[in-house]
Amino acid sequence: KTLLLLQPAVSVGNVGQLAIDLVISTLDMTKVGYFYTDCLVPMVGNNPYATAEENSTELSINAEVYSLPSRKLVVLQIRSPFIKNKYRPFCQALLSWVQTSKCARVILLSSSHAYQRDDEQLLGTPLRYLLTPALEKSVEGLMQGLKWKEMEKVAAYPGISDTEKVLHIPGGGITKLLFTECCSEGIQMAVLLKFCSEGDNIPDAFALVNYLNEWLQLIKNESSNSTAISSQWKIPSSWRLLFGSGLPPALF
């Protein structure tokens, strides 16, 4: 089996990052290092996957690498936003790392603004995928078997001309740039994304991670019931404070 890199795009509702949290927490992945970059806002915090008092004081930073050798899986978790104009240097650093570390495939978990969908995108499931030409050959049949919908291209000049179609991922952060770079560099990459809005994005994260699981089978789903599958993902301890720590009683 070849090495697979899984990572989030920092996009609307932070859905990719939340989905990655579920993967790291459920598979009990080991932190193996950091992705050092000046392209992300610096941050430091406690261990987001703490399970006991002992490991709760370990520090975590803005970009960390986790590994699960038994599944040939490497995960890059990104925890802070990009610094303005730093998308491109980040993409270059990431892709040179992908190539030197012999990652055969990259999967990017992303999201896009639900309110900016065109008519075609309003139909059916809110989940979409994209494949670079290098990956298409080997997994296209599988995607069709899963009855997945490919991300539609939209008119470059809506209302004026419908002939020229472009890839448009509003709210997707680094997604489009990373995808186009992977296409031109012949890297095997897939984007899995969900249309969503800002708010309580936990249900979106479960939907996206279940979508990923249909393909990668990270956890065994005994039933086809998506609620039953969702309950098998382990929610990390850091999610308790997802909306802040509640109102201090002294206010009242």
Side-chain angles (χ1 to χ4, degrees):
K1 282 172 84 174
T2 49
L3 205 57
L4 169 70
L5 172 68
L6 180 63
Q7 69 159 84
V10 182
S11 51
V12 54
N14 305 102
V15 177
Q17 292 153 292
L18 292 170
I20 294 282
D21 263 355
L22 289 168
V23 171
I24 294 170
S25 181
T26 306
L27 301 179
D28 197 18
M29 295 183 76
T30 313
K31 189 198 300 190
V32 291
Y34 305 96
F35 188 78
Y36 182 73
T37 171
D38 61 357
C39 302
L40 296 164
V41 173
M43 68 131 283
V44 65
N46 281 14
N47 179 4
Y49 313 115
T51 48
E53 198 74 25
E54 295 76 71
N55 64 6
S56 63
T57 52
E58 290 169 17
L59 292 183
S60 67
I61 63 164
N62 56 9
E64 297 188 320
V65 183
Y66 294 79
S67 160
L68 187 65
S70 63
R71 300 294 299 263
K72 290 274 172 45
L73 180 66
V74 175
V75 171
L76 170 65
Q77 176 61 303
I78 299 174
R79 297 199 177 91
S80 71
F82 282 86
I83 290 169
K84 202 175 154 76
N85 303 330
K86 289 282 194 179
Y87 277 4
R88 197 167 287 279
F90 180 83
C91 279
Q92 286 159 349
L94 178 75
L95 295 182
S96 75
W97 176 59
V98 163
Q99 285 160 327
T100 54
S101 58
K102 305 277 188 289
C103 278
R105 284 183 183 174
V106 182
I107 298 179
L108 184 74
L109 299 185
S110 183
S111 50
S112 182
H113 283 300
Y115 72 89
Q116 289 197 349
R117 285 174 291 179
D118 73 354
D119 292 354
E120 205 183 347
Q121 292 171 340
L122 288 165
L123 301 170
T125 171
L127 294 154
R128 294 288 185 279
Y129 76 92
L130 281 166
L131 301 173
T132 59
L135 183 58
E136 229 161 17
K137 294 186 277 291
S138 52
V139 301
E140 203 171 23
L142 176 74
M143 300 310 184
Q144 284 159 356
L146 292 169
K147 297 192 168 48
W148 279 14
K149 281 184 87 165
E150 193 170 358
M151 181 72 170
E152 300 88 348
K153 290 191 166 171
V154 296
Y157 307 104
I160 302 166
S161 149
D162 286 342
T163 48
E164 198 187 331
K165 300 269 190 173
V166 291
L167 188 60
H168 185 49
I169 308 174
I174 200 174
T175 309
K176 186 178 171 180
L177 177 63
L178 194 58
F179 181 73
T180 47
E181 293 280 312
C182 285
C183 285
S184 60
E185 293 198 28
I187 291 173
Q188 294 194 22
M189 184 211 192
V191 175
L192 306 191
L193 71 82
K194 183 176 191 298
F195 294 117
C196 66
S197 310
E198 293 279 0
D200 176 1
N201 296 103
I202 291 175
D204 298 311
F206 276 111
L208 188 59
V209 81
N210 286 337
Y211 187 52
L212 172 74
N213 197 57
E214 279 180 46
W215 176 14
L216 293 189
Q217 304 285 302
L218 296 172
I219 56 174
K220 293 280 167 281
N221 54 23
E222 277 74 38
S223 73
S224 57
N225 180 346
S226 64
T227 322
I229 302 158
S230 292
S231 65
Q232 291 175 261
W233 296 104
K234 186 176 157 214
I235 294 178
S237 51
S238 51
W239 282 23
R240 289 200 305 265
L241 301 175
L242 214 53
F243 299 104
S245 52
L247 297 170
L251 276 179
F252 305 103

